Amino acid sequence: MYAIVDIAGKQFKVTQDQFIYAPALEGEEGASVEFDNVLLVDNDGAVKVGTPTVKGAKVTAKILSHVKDDKVIVFKKKRRKGYKKKNGHRQALTKILIETIK
């Protein structure tokens, strides 16, 4: 059984007992979170597609930790002008454990 869920503007294909790194979510570590923006549910071949969401479908998850992604280097340059800029960025993520799909 799997579901496609919209979490903070991104779509994830989730199964039970799966770890996911989602964009930063509100909540403390150990807190339970429910997602009701379920776009598709597959229960052993019985597929339900939502218009736009599946009615009554929910995915519950547990927040494990708040982490940062790997550093991305942003480098800008204009040739022959002496212009160079170097910046770094680390995206805030939340590690969650999918507990149930209903």
Side-chain angles (χ1 to χ4, degrees), residues 4-40:
I4 297 179
V5 185
D6 185 358
I7 300 174
K10 291 192 172 186
Q11 295 178 8
F12 295 93
K13 179 180 177 183
V14 298
T15 59
Q16 194 167 358
D17 300 326
Q18 179 183 7
F19 295 103
I20 289 181
Y21 289 98
L25 299 173
E26 298 284 330
E28 301 206 4
E29 294 181 8
S32 182
V33 183
E34 283 191 352
F35 304 108
D36 54 355
N37 281 344
V38 180
L39 306 174
L40 182 138

Side-chain angles (χ1 to χ4, degrees), residues 6 21-23 45 63 66-67 71 76 79-80 90 101:
D6 185 358
Y21 289 98
I63 296 177
H66 297 286
V67 295
K71 182 174 270 193
K76 298 179 182 181
R79 64 185 190 157
R80 299 187 300 270
R90 293 185 73 187
I101 299 173

